[in-house]
Amino acid sequence: MEQQQADLTEISFQIILYAGNGKSFAMEAIQEAKRKDFKRADELIVQAGEELAKAHEYQTKLIQQEALGQSNPLNVLLIHSQDHLMTSMTVRDLAVEIIEIYRYKEWDK
């Protein structure tokens, strides 16, 4: 049980790490779009997606364990990691839309 808790803690921290990286890249992409550097903004959105995919891989491990009957004890850290991932994915999706608004704004000039 102690090892399972340690594994769960490690997975939770990995989700938080990669989700945070993804969110940071997405926010940076918005700033680049503001500066009209759309090439860099697009690169950062790709990086955000890559980081979020890594976080999602860890989340998938937990889901697969659960599907195999290996339930994981719920704790605040795990809940926080899931919340952090979902919020970061939303930030990335909204960043894509915001970048497009800036891009179209440039076309209207």
Side-chain angles (χ1 to χ4, degrees), residues 75-108:
N75 64 39
V76 174
L77 186 59
L78 176 61
I79 293 167
H80 175 67
S81 74
Q82 296 302 294
D83 181 51
H84 199 56
L85 176 56
M86 304 297 15
T87 303
S88 297
M89 291 171 79
T90 301
V91 168
R92 186 228 170 254
D93 292 345
L94 288 173
V96 169
E97 296 302 319
I98 292 167
I99 290 165
E100 289 307 303
I101 291 168
Y102 280 118
R103 194 183 320 266
Y104 290 130
K105 184 179 170 185
E106 282 301 302
W107 289 351
D108 287 341

